[in-house]
Amino acid sequence: MKTFQTFDIESEFKTLHNRFPNHRKMPVIGITGNFSEGNLSLAPGYYTSILKAGGLPLIIPPCENNDILINSLEQVDGILLTGGADVNPLFFGEEPVRELHGINPYRDRQEWMLTRLAVNRQVPILGICRGMQMLNLALGGSLYQDIYSQRSETTLKHSQDMDRAFASHHIQITPDSLLARILNTTRIPVNSFHHQAVKEAAPGLQVSAVAPDGVIEAIESTEYKSILGVQWHPECFILNQDEYMMPLFHWLIQEATSFRSAKELHRKILTLDTHCDTPMFFDQQINFASRDSKIKVDLHKMTEGRQDATIMVAYLEQKERTDEALLAATAKADRILNEIEKMVAMNCTAVDIAYTPSDLYRLKQAGKKAIMLGIENGYAIGKDLSNVARFRKRGVVYMTLCHNGNNDICGSARYNDAQTGVTAFGEEVIREMNRTGMMVDLSHAGERSFYETLEISRQPVVCSHSSARAICDHPRNLTDEQLRAIARQGGVVQVCLYSGFLRSDRPATICDAIDHLHHMVNLIGIEHVGIGSDFDGDGGIIGCNDSSEMINFTRRLLHERYSEEEIQMIWGGNFLRVMEEVQRAAR
């Protein structure tokens, strides 16, 4: 062992710098610190467990400044919510019971805000004891102020007197839960130091372990998110050289590493969602600059999910085809496009309209979000062919030929008993779209319309939001032969995140969307696939329900071992290749 006298600091310094260029990047774990008697403190078990698991601990002190909280989250790859004093019952709408213990007034607001912000940003979270309780409260769950006085059932002693490095009772873990997979067991002894506990799990969370008396001992995400809370103190065991709780910390480091990789990838690549219907909510006084609960795509959610761009469409419900109705449809399309442009102008420091692929990359370089314009339903042009050029001139990059129901252009995948295909006028429309550089979008088109369009179009076509019928038999989805046909022409199909197009037997999850993507990749190749969420048009699935959760899709793609280049192609690269080809042909 080296003494101070024999410690060669220059040699150690040189060795350090020899290793520096190739040092291993460790995920940064933000750990909430405890504040009492004028001092910030952290029990050694927390940072020792993180270090031993391969993470870099960063203490987050109690702080009332929201900007500091947000900036703290930008620096970390995971969060460890630590134990400590009771949570103030005023934070969950109750008055204090007599049995309430000491409250730390410095921690509650900060940790509630930190947790909500972290969840919005998909940051992996492990909550321990009070940290689990705060996690549950922040997401809308309930809490016992005191299990001994507020529960009618016989209650075990949950605050042991023995050394913290030893267990005092067993817990039963739900089979097939995340916790069971992490600890590789369904029954395990734990230590116990609490009298508050989770009463009911918050929405999006489920109970995954209970004590013999029924007190909840663990909660975890039901939405394929990296969120886990445990009531005991697993960090104490390592101080006695007992590693049987280390899998919990290895899980946090693993999830944080995945999240870090996804963040780094999103910094380098452009992420484009090719279809959203947010303008459908314009009549509800939405605020695109806020985190608006009425919509799934806004500036906050795009920032949280690290999404660079989306194609917002002017959606038109298929109605009558009288001259008066057609004129009204055209006017409505113009009005919606005007409203999109107005919304962007009101937030011009953060977002701008993009008209070409190069615009998208320029805006990303400038740190801005981008919106492209689309039209959903060729009903918008009425019977006036000149509207194609006019809409293209104002920036519309694609138009679906129809929606649910036949129009004057073609027959739809829905409500088309006569199996109508492309009309004579529709053939003119497709050729005019080719001429002006507007992409032909075959989402919603019937099979006859689909194949006839491929024969007519001189340019590759796209399906901005369609999935695979071989996996989910829905008329809006594409058969394997349709997928092959669009790929042969050089086109692209974007997996739609609408639950009904992914599963027919239960609500769809992010794993189901990955299954559709896998099927398409295996069938037609990575060069012909992408993602079109259909957010705000009924799109949104468990695990990827709005723009803030888009990074979860990237994490899944990394888990499935898609390469950086392949993920870039999926996240808009393929779609933009077709857009560039279509626009170039019109120049």
Side-chain angles (χ1 to χ4, degrees):
M1 181 177 179
K2 293 182 179 179
T3 65
F4 180 77
Q5 289 76 13
T6 61
F7 185 76
D8 186 349
I9 192 167
E10 288 296 334
S11 175
E12 294 287 337
F13 196 62
K14 183 177 180 180
T15 300
L16 172 64
H17 274 272
N18 285 340
R19 292 183 57 203
F20 180 74
N22 300 312
H23 73 287
R24 180 172 62 90
K25 291 184 178 180
M26 304 167 70
V28 178
I29 306 299
I31 307 178
T32 53
N34 197 15
F35 188 83
S36 61
E37 299 180 356
N39 294 303
L40 178 66
S41 62
L42 184 69
Y46 294 116
Y47 63 79
T48 301
S49 298
I50 293 298
L51 287 168
K52 190 169 184 63
L56 182 64
L58 175 69
I59 299 176
I60 302 177
C63 177
E64 295 290 317
N65 188 303
N66 291 336
D67 288 335
I68 292 176
L69 289 180
I70 291 172
N71 278 279
S72 296
L73 284 172
E74 290 299 313
Q75 309 306 315
V76 303
D77 308 307
I79 293 288
L80 176 59
L81 299 171
T82 61
D86 284 0
V87 179
N88 190 335
L90 296 182
F91 271 86
F92 46 99
E94 296 181 7
E95 296 297 328
V97 300
R98 181 182 58 186
E99 293 81 4
L100 187 71
H101 291 187
I103 293 172
N104 187 328
Y106 303 100
R107 296 186 63 178
D108 288 344
R109 179 190 178 278
Q110 179 244 12
E111 292 181 7
W112 190 94
M113 293 289 291
L114 182 74
T115 302
R116 287 293 295 269
L117 290 167
V119 169
N120 289 346
R121 285 158 175 73
Q122 316 308 313
V123 180
I125 301 175
L126 174 61
I128 292 177
C129 197
R130 168 200 160 89
M132 164 180 154
Q133 297 163 14
M134 180 56 70
L135 173 63
N136 192 60
L137 284 175
L139 295 183
S142 60
L143 195 67
Y144 287 112
Q145 293 186 47
D146 178 70
I147 52 177
Y148 302 110
S149 62
Q150 293 185 309
R151 295 178 75 249
S152 58
E153 299 89 343
T154 301
T155 302
L156 296 175
K157 178 178 173 60
H158 282 273
S159 186
Q160 67 189 60
D161 300 317
M162 71 181 83
D163 189 303
R164 286 174 174 257
F166 297 91
S168 63
H169 70 270
H170 285 86
I171 60 168
Q172 191 68 36
I173 302 174
T174 304
D176 298 323
S177 64
L178 170 64
L179 184 61
R181 293 194 297 274
I182 291 171
L183 296 177
N184 196 31
T185 186
T186 57
R187 189 171 184 268
I188 195 169
V190 299
N191 57 11
S192 194
F193 301 92
H194 69 102
H195 77 113
Q196 292 192 327
V198 168
K199 182 187 294 184
E200 291 185 354
L205 300 178
Q206 66 182 2
V207 175
S208 54
V210 294
D213 59 3
V215 167
I216 294 172
E217 293 276 357
I219 54 177
E220 62 187 48
S221 173
T222 62
E223 300 174 334
Y224 297 86
K225 298 180 181 180
S226 305
I227 298 175
L228 176 65
V230 298
Q231 184 57 69
W232 66 95
H233 280 266
E235 81 285 357
C236 294
F237 293 90
I238 196 63
L239 299 178
N240 200 33
Q241 308 306 311
D242 188 341
E243 297 192 13
Y244 93 109
M245 285 294 171
M246 282 303 297
L248 288 169
F249 299 96
H250 285 298
W251 169 83
L252 179 60
I253 299 307
Q254 174 184 320
E255 298 303 299
T257 300
S258 166
F259 182 63
R260 180 191 184 106
S261 297
K263 287 192 300 181
E264 291 178 349
L265 185 53
H266 275 241
R267 275 193 286 268
K268 291 191 286 185
I269 70 172
L270 180 80
T271 50
L272 169 68
D273 172 12
T274 59
H275 190 91
C276 83
D277 281 292
T278 307
M280 289 177 65
F281 289 82
F282 282 173
D283 62 351
Q284 297 187 28
Q285 289 75 52
I286 63 169
N287 184 353
F288 188 69
S290 73
R291 197 175 202 280
D292 195 321
S293 60
K294 295 190 289 291
I295 53 178
K296 296 189 176 186
V297 182
D298 58 42
L299 280 175
H300 279 256
K301 296 185 188 77
M302 290 180 73
T303 300
E304 291 160 354
R306 291 169 166 79
Q307 177 187 338
D308 297 310
T310 188
I311 301 180
M312 274 190 190
V313 298
Y315 159 71
L316 298 171
E317 181 184 1
Q318 185 61 48
K319 294 186 176 180
E320 297 84 5
R321 290 155 63 180
T322 64
D323 290 344
E324 184 180 5
L326 293 173
L327 288 172
T330 301
K332 182 177 181 180
D334 275 310
R335 184 171 66 252
I336 295 171
L337 294 173
N338 289 340
E339 289 171 346
I340 296 173
E341 291 169 343
K342 179 181 177 181
M343 181 190 73
V344 170
M346 291 173 62
N347 300 281
C348 60
T349 60
V351 62
D352 208 344
I353 300 286
Y355 303 99
T356 67
S358 61
D359 285 342
L360 292 174
Y361 293 108
R362 173 180 54 80
L363 290 172
K364 180 177 176 67
Q365 191 70 24
K368 283 188 172 186
K369 302 302 180 186
I371 291 177
M372 289 186 139
L373 305 176
I375 290 177
E376 187 168 24
N377 197 352
Y379 183 53
I381 69 168
K383 295 179 181 178
D384 187 348
L385 192 63
S386 69
N387 278 327
V388 174
R390 189 175 64 79
F391 280 127
R392 176 68 194 109
K393 187 174 182 180
R394 69 173 302 176
V396 172
V397 295
Y398 73 63
M399 181 173 72
T400 68
L401 297 185
C402 61
H403 191 251
N404 292 334
N406 300 344
N407 60 21
D408 288 292
I409 297 173
C410 70
S412 171
R414 307 291 304 277
Y415 315 117
N416 182 10
D417 293 338
Q419 297 300 306
T420 300
V422 176
T423 67
F425 175 67
E427 184 171 348
E428 291 183 75
V429 170
I430 293 166
R431 295 194 188 282
E432 181 68 356
M433 291 174 74
N434 285 171
R435 186 189 72 80
T436 60
M438 185 186 293
M439 302 167 80
V440 176
D441 186 350
L442 286 175
S443 285
H444 288 285
E447 283 197 52
R448 182 177 170 189
S449 298
F450 179 95
Y451 288 113
E452 289 178 355
T453 297
L454 292 185
E455 292 178 3
I456 297 165
S457 179
R458 302 188 307 274
Q459 300 298 328
V461 302
V462 299
C463 288
S464 64
H465 58 303
S466 297
S467 295
R469 200 181 299 186
I471 297 180
C472 180
D473 188 11
H474 191 287
R476 266 282 281 110
N477 286 342
L478 302 179
T479 66
D480 283 357
E481 184 48 44
Q482 285 179 291
L483 291 170
R484 292 188 188 98
I486 205 169
R488 282 195 296 268
Q489 196 195 22
V492 177
V493 179
Q494 309 290 99
V495 172
C496 182
L497 303 186
Y498 169 59
S499 182
F501 298 163
L502 299 174
R503 298 279 311 208
S504 58
D505 56 340
R506 59 164 173 77
T509 72
I510 192 170
C511 297
D512 296 312
I514 293 291
D515 286 344
H516 280 255
L517 186 71
H518 284 337
H519 178 78
M520 292 182 184
V521 169
N522 291 334
L523 188 72
I524 60 177
I526 192 71
E527 302 86 357
H528 303 286
V529 299
I531 302 165
S533 71
D534 204 15
F535 287 157
D536 292 321
D538 291 331
I541 53 177
I542 298 170
C544 195
N545 191 48
D546 60 37
S547 286
S548 74
E549 300 181 4
M550 284 298 209
I551 195 169
N552 294 342
F553 209 97
T554 303
R555 289 186 62 192
R556 285 279 160 179
L557 293 174
L558 288 169
H559 178 74
E560 298 292 334
R561 300 191 179 279
Y562 283 91
S563 69
E564 178 178 320
E565 180 183 6
E566 289 170 335
I567 294 174
Q568 184 173 19
M569 295 164 75
I570 292 168
W571 265 130
N574 293 328
F575 196 88
L576 293 177
R577 181 197 74 239
V578 176
M579 185 185 295
E580 177 65 32
E581 184 175 343
V582 170
Q583 292 183 357
R584 188 189 313 116
R587 291 171 191 158

